[in-house]
Amino acid sequence: MTVTPARPNPTGLLLLLATVTGWGFNWPAMKLLLVEVPPFSMRVVCALVGIALLAAIARWRGESLAVPRGLWPRLIGASLLNVTAWMGLASFSLVWLTAGEATIVCYTMPVWASIFAWLVLGERLTARRLVALGVGLAGLAVLVLAQGVEAGMGKLPGVGFALTGAILFSLGTVVTKRWPLGLPPASSVIWQMGLGTLPLLLGALLVEHPDFPAVTTQGWLLILYGGVGPLGLCYLAWFGALRRLPASAAAAGTLLTPVVGVVSAAFILGEPLGLREVLALSLTVSGVVLAVRG
C-alpha cells in the first residue's frame, strides 16, 4: 500500500515566508539606520517597539507574563545568548561589513547548531555535518579573501563579531531545546528581549551618544519597521510556523533569509552582487543545507 506524503501546512508555509522575508529585509534596513543611530542604541529602541507590540498581543491573547522563580537563571542565560549576543554582535558587525556580507556570515547558524547539538544533545556528528562545516567555512573564506588579503583583513573585525553572534545564538538555540523555557510564545520573547537588551542599553549609555532629535523621518520609519516586523511579528510568525511544520522544514526555510538579505541589499543599498557574493552565498547555503539534512 502506497502512503501519500502529508502536504505541508499552507498556513505554516505562509508564516515561514513572512518570517524569512521580514528578517531578510531587516539587514539593509539596519545598515541604513546605522547612518543615523549607533548600533547599541539602534537595537535598544527597536527592541522597545517590539516589546510594546508583543506586550499588547500577549494582553489581547490573555497570556500570563509570570515567570516561575526557578526559571529565572535559565531565562537570563537564554536572553544573553539569543538576544544580547545576537542583536549586539550582529549589529556591530555592520560597521565593517556590508548588509549582504553580514547576512551571509550570520546565517551559518545551523552549521554551528549541529556541532552544539552533538556536544549538548548527544546528536550524532555525521560525516555530512563535518562536510557542511567545511563548506560553510569555505564560503566565509571566499567572502573575506576574494578581494585580496589586505581588503579581507579590513573586514575581519566585522566577520569576527558576526561569526561570534551566530555561534552564541546557535548555542542558545540548542540549550533552549535541551532545557525549554516553557513560557507562552509572546511572553517568552518579551522577557528574553527585555533582559537581553539591558546589557545593550548599558553599552549604549557608556559609549554612545545618539542624537534622536536629529533622526530623520526615514530613520524613525526604519526603527518602527525593526521593532514591529523582525523583532515583533516575525518572532510570533516563526513560533507559529514551528508549531505547524516539521522542524527540519522550518530550519531549511530559513535559508531564504540570507538570499533575501543579499538581494535586497543590492537593490536597496546598491551593494555589489557579483561572483564573490554569489559564490560565498552559494557555499554558505550549501553548507547549511547539509547541516540541516544531517
Side-chain angles (χ1 to χ4, degrees), residues 155-234:
K155 295 179 183 295
L156 277 183
V159 172
F161 281 116
L163 194 57
T164 303
I167 290 172
L168 291 176
F169 184 83
S170 301
L171 175 60
T173 300
V174 172
V175 167
T176 303
K177 184 174 181 179
R178 174 65 179 83
W179 296 283
L181 294 174
L183 296 173
S187 176
S188 177
V189 178
I190 289 170
W191 279 112
Q192 287 187 68
M193 202 177 298
L195 294 171
T197 302
L198 289 178
L200 303 182
L201 175 61
L202 180 61
L205 293 174
L206 291 176
V207 302
E208 295 179 350
H209 304 282
D211 186 6
F212 285 110
V215 174
T216 64
T217 301
Q218 174 182 277
W220 286 112
L221 288 174
L222 290 171
I223 289 172
L224 188 64
Y225 169 74
V228 171
L231 296 183
L233 298 179
C234 285

Side-chain angles (χ1 to χ4, degrees), residues 107-197:
Y107 276 87
T108 58
M109 292 181 297
V111 177
W112 311 113
S114 68
I115 304 298
F116 288 122
W118 168 55
L119 295 172
V120 177
L121 303 177
E123 294 185 4
R124 192 162 59 94
L125 188 61
T126 62
R128 179 179 287 174
R129 285 179 175 170
L130 290 174
V131 172
L133 180 61
V135 172
L137 292 176
L140 296 182
V142 168
L143 190 69
V144 174
L145 300 176
Q147 290 182 321
V149 175
E150 186 175 346
M153 293 299 290
K155 295 179 183 295
L156 277 183
V159 172
F161 281 116
L163 194 57
T164 303
I167 290 172
L168 291 176
F169 184 83
S170 301
L171 175 60
T173 300
V174 172
V175 167
T176 303
K177 184 174 181 179
R178 174 65 179 83
W179 296 283
L181 294 174
L183 296 173
S187 176
S188 177
V189 178
I190 289 170
W191 279 112
Q192 287 187 68
M193 202 177 298
L195 294 171
T197 302

Side-chain angles (χ1 to χ4, degrees), residues 28 34 43 90 133-134 155 195 203 245 290:
L34 201 59
R43 280 305 206 177
L133 180 61
K155 295 179 183 295
L195 294 171
L245 297 173
L290 288 170

